[in-house]
Amino acid sequence: MASANSPVPLLEVRNLEQHFIQYRGLISRQRSIVKAVDGVSFHINGSETLGLVGESGCGKSTLGRSILRLIEPSKGTIHFDGEDITKIGDGRLRALRQKMQIIFQDPFASLNPRMSVGNIIEEALIIHQLGATKKEREDRVVELLGLVGLRKESIARYPHEFSGGQRQRIGIARALAVNPKFVVCDEPISALDVSIQAQIINLMQDLQYSLGLTYLFIAHDLHVVRHISSRIAVMYLGNIVEIGDAATIYFAPKHPYSQALLSAVPLPDPKRKSRRILLRGEVPSPINPPSGCKFHPRCPHVMPQCKITAPPLVKLSNQQEAACYLYT
């Protein structure tokens, strides 16, 4: 598990919103607002991993892209390394992206099929003017390939010649080419075979320890998140409903949604029994979310105030916060 060595947050997100305008109809053009991320706040310390979990469509990937300003946030602030990056221009943002990178979910779609592996990785070096000569850049590419477990001969080959796990290693090498401090890992193993997933996770942990990286690790596999994360944040319909120490969240979740998610995780010991919590209904639409607590239509502990006002994140201990009226 990663460790948090820095007392000062490397990344601090406050009240971040990412709302999209959606139009329907050719004549009347009805306007709807999709609240993909709706007032999210958290921090990540240097050299730690924050695992972000939740059902598909809850806003995890949108949050990751908004932090990097691959999508412009609708509202809120993002402080990275002490600087509010929501207010900087394109020139400063390009320079800052040397410190902030992303590993995409699909290694088949994220690599340009018309470029060789060497050119894919070298492109980042050229953009950020790292390496004065072609030879220096080639040497750096060879170094990066070795770092992720690929041979020098891979430079001249094309993405279609590699397996899924090898392509993801190429994606990792590309992200590390510019020596970043912070990496958004957007479900980096979900498209890979189970037999390969552990290899990629172990590689990412080794790289974190050796290079001092900080991760936002987005995933839906709670076993993986527990293994790699220092802390875990649980997201539901655009909001973080619980956040805290990985072991505390995994073994003693407080929010009813977190409890339901974790009850679905298979136990490795078949003799141990766990009570499965079945949630009623479907995840509401982010276009028309419920009033109050967004989880209340599916919550087994719903109370009258849950339908009126959204509960704030309440500190339950030094290791755990939850947004639920059961604890206020």
Side-chain angles (χ1 to χ4, degrees), residues 262-280:
L262 287 157
S263 74
V265 177
L267 295 173
D269 184 354
K271 294 181 181 179
R272 290 180 59 193
K273 302 293 183 182
S274 65
R275 184 176 65 88
R276 177 72 186 275
I277 301 173
L278 298 176
L279 297 177
R280 59 191 179 189

Side-chain angles (χ1 to χ4, degrees), residues 242-253:
E242 187 165 4
I243 188 169
D245 174 77
T248 304
I249 299 294
Y250 192 83
F251 291 108

Side-chain angles (χ1 to χ4, degrees), residues 4-81:
N5 296 323
S6 173
V8 179
L10 178 66
L11 178 77
E12 191 164 11
V13 176
R14 287 288 172 259
N15 303 313
L16 190 68
E17 294 182 3
Q18 187 62 72
H19 295 175
F20 300 102
I21 299 176
Q22 184 179 79
Y23 293 96
R24 292 178 296 171
L26 296 176
I27 300 175
S28 60
R29 301 295 286 167
Q30 295 178 341
R31 181 176 180 270
S32 303
I33 297 178
V34 180
K35 298 180 179 180
V37 178
D38 197 24
V40 166
S41 299
F42 64 90
H43 72 273
I44 308 178
N45 295 326
S47 300
E48 81 164 345
T49 299
L50 177 68
L52 185 63
V53 300
E55 293 172 281
S56 296
C58 71
K60 304 187 300 297
S61 294
T62 301
L63 175 59
R65 284 167 168 76
S66 298
I67 289 170
L68 299 181
R69 281 188 59 187
L70 298 178
I71 310 171
E72 287 298 329
S74 305
K75 192 177 179 182
T77 60
I78 305 164
H79 284 83
F80 177 77
D81 216 6

